[in-house]
Amino acid sequence: TLCLWVGAIVLNALLSTKAKNIDFACTPWEEFVGKYLLFVSAALLQGLLAALGDIFLLGIEMKDPVLFVQLSMLYSLVFSMIVYVLVSLLRNVGKALAVFLLVIQIGGSGGTFPVEVTPAFFQAIHPFLPFSYGVNGMRQAVFGVTFATLKTDIHMMLIFFVLFALIGFFCKAPANRWLDPFTQKL
């Protein structure tokens, strides 16, 4: 789960969220969706390679390797949408925010320690962190599936995806209007 988020950050550091070198005008929404198609392709490949690397290179034993690969690809897709929206709307501030979220999620997701033994702050934000559901879903694939729990984890990840997709789609034009003058001055 951690490597998938870091991969989304690196992808946004390497590729631009702005449409460049095109000989036609595009709307902010066309730019948002069009550029995300490149990011989603890279994210799915990243999720596939990360999962296959865990299985075949690291030799991690798991109850359901096919589910593990599928979840890895889904989570990579969701994380790429979240980071893409942050960077697309807020540019360098979005990159910094993605790194900040990474740090917060490491402590608050229950990935390093059970959330019940973490400080009250992390316990309070735990249900609002995508990592919480990602880590739990991966545990299901590795140790055995409880379908009700897995269903909840997948639904929550899809909610994060849709929520950020809507934020990006509807906020792209206002963010461009607000940030373009600052970007040109820089």
Side-chain angles (χ1 to χ4, degrees):
T1 306
L2 175 63
C3 82
L4 299 175
W5 187 276
V6 171
I9 292 173
V10 170
L11 188 62
N12 277 275
L14 294 175
L15 301 175
S16 173
T17 60
K18 300 288 288 173
K20 297 178 181 178
N21 300 327
I22 56 174
D23 57 353
F24 59 89
C26 63
T27 67
W29 301 283
E30 291 169 339
E31 179 183 65
F32 177 80
V33 173
K35 286 298 285 193
Y36 186 66
L37 293 176
L38 173 64
F39 282 81
V40 74
S41 301
L44 290 173
L45 181 62
Q46 170 194 310
L48 176 66
L49 292 176
L52 293 177
D54 286 346
I55 295 167
F56 295 112
L57 294 177
L58 299 178
I60 296 173
E61 295 180 29
M62 54 190 69
K63 295 283 187 188
D64 197 337
V66 173
L67 177 63
F68 186 81
V69 171
Q70 292 170 335
L71 289 175
S72 181
M73 293 175 73
L74 172 66
Y75 297 164
S76 186
L77 180 73
V78 173
F79 295 161
S80 74
M81 175 57 83
I82 294 169
V83 176
Y84 176 75
V85 167
L86 292 174
V87 174
S88 180
L89 297 183
L90 303 173
R91 302 189 180 133
N92 286 334
V93 173
K95 291 176 189 176
L97 188 55
V99 172
F100 173 76
L101 285 173
L102 169 70
V103 173
I104 292 295
Q105 290 186 105
I106 289 172
S109 67
T112 51
F113 297 102
V115 73
E116 295 79 15
V117 300
T118 59
F121 170 75
F122 289 125
Q123 291 179 32
I125 65 170
H126 174 76
F128 305 103
L129 302 175
F131 264 35
S132 301
Y133 305 99
V135 168
N136 199 37
M138 293 295 191
R139 285 183 179 141
Q140 298 287 316
V142 172
F143 299 116
V145 177
T146 304
F147 288 103
T149 304
L150 181 61
K151 183 179 171 184
T152 300
D153 294 334
I154 291 172
H155 282 151
M156 289 304 297
M157 291 301 273
L158 292 175
I159 288 170
F160 281 113
F161 181 86
V162 169
L163 177 67
F164 275 88
L166 290 172
I167 290 169
F169 189 77
F170 289 110
C171 295
K172 178 69 173 160
N176 280 0
R177 280 193 304 273
W178 188 69
L179 288 175
D180 279 347
F182 295 111
T183 303
Q184 289 172 359
K185 287 180 182 177
L186 287 174

